[in-house]
Amino acid sequence: MRYMRHAATLILMTAGLCIAQEGTRVYIARCQQCHDQNSDSHAPLREALATRPWEVILAALETGAMRAQGAQLTPEERRAVARY
């Protein structure tokens, strides 16, 4: 029984790392160019986005100001980058 708990914990930790890596990948490929201090887009910096709940960022990507950009992502990518 103890072995199964450890295995389950390891699986959850690995899944969490995969989601974080996916969010990082999406952010670098699709978001960083506008949310960078050297951008002329005046988009909020990553540090400012990090203070917002991920659900707010997801809503912006799905139905808010960023819905055009979010439409280019899969639902999984939107969720991963919002959590990132």
Side-chain angles (χ1 to χ4, degrees):
M1 188 63 132
R2 194 169 113 189
Y3 171 76
M4 291 184 68
R5 267 189 296 206
H6 289 301
T9 301
L10 182 61
I11 289 169
L12 289 174
M13 287 174 54
T14 303
L17 287 173
C18 290
I19 290 170
Q21 289 174 345
E22 178 69 6
T24 302
R25 183 193 64 76
V26 173
Y27 182 83
I28 290 170
R30 301 291 189 98
C31 309
Q32 184 174 357
Q33 61 270 17
C34 293
H35 293 278
D36 182 74
Q37 64 187 9
N38 298 319
S39 171
D40 292 334
S41 71
H42 304 290
L45 297 178
R46 184 186 175 326
E47 294 79 17
L49 294 173
T51 66
R52 299 179 184 170
W54 70 268
E55 296 91 347
V56 171
I57 295 170
L58 182 62
L61 288 168
E62 293 182 338
T63 60
M66 298 297 295
R67 69 182 169 274
Q69 291 80 4
Q72 298 172 20
L73 304 172
T74 67
E76 293 80 15
E77 288 174 326
R78 287 193 299 266
R79 183 173 293 269
V81 77
R83 287 181 177 258
Y84 169 74

